[in-house]
Amino acid sequence: MSTTETSAKDEAAIKAVIAAFAEAWNTKDAEPLAKLFAEDSDFVDVIGRWFKGRTEIKQAHT
């Protein structure tokens, strides 16, 4: 597999995650949004609140 093929596959995967995030955000569906994050993720929102872990991220978006 060439670097170009890998890059194209990586780019497609990244775009899929972005699309899934936008869909979950726009439909206000916290479950699929939270599943996009690793269990030990951190999320800081636009006003500076810090959520630690998938559970807190989900609760923050419910």
Side-chain angles (χ1 to χ4, degrees), residues 24-61:
W25 182 270
N26 290 331
T27 59
K28 298 176 175 61
D29 196 346
E31 183 71 30
L33 186 132
K35 286 183 178 181
L36 295 169
F37 292 86
E39 286 290 338
D40 62 349
S41 291
D42 288 351
F43 182 91
V44 179
D45 70 10
V46 68
I47 61 173
R49 294 178 297 181
W50 185 3
F51 305 102
K52 298 176 184 174
R54 186 183 292 160
T55 300
E56 281 189 21
I57 293 168
K58 180 181 174 186
Q59 290 171 344
H61 291 93

Side-chain angles (χ1 to χ4, degrees), residues 1-40:
M1 183 177 300
S2 73
T3 303
T4 303
E5 290 172 328
T6 302
S7 295
K9 287 183 179 184
D10 290 344
E11 184 176 344
I14 292 165
K15 286 181 178 182
V17 170
I18 293 168
F21 184 95
E23 175 69 18
W25 182 270
N26 290 331
T27 59
K28 298 176 175 61
D29 196 346
E31 183 71 30
L33 186 132
K35 286 183 178 181
L36 295 169
F37 292 86
E39 286 290 338
D40 62 349

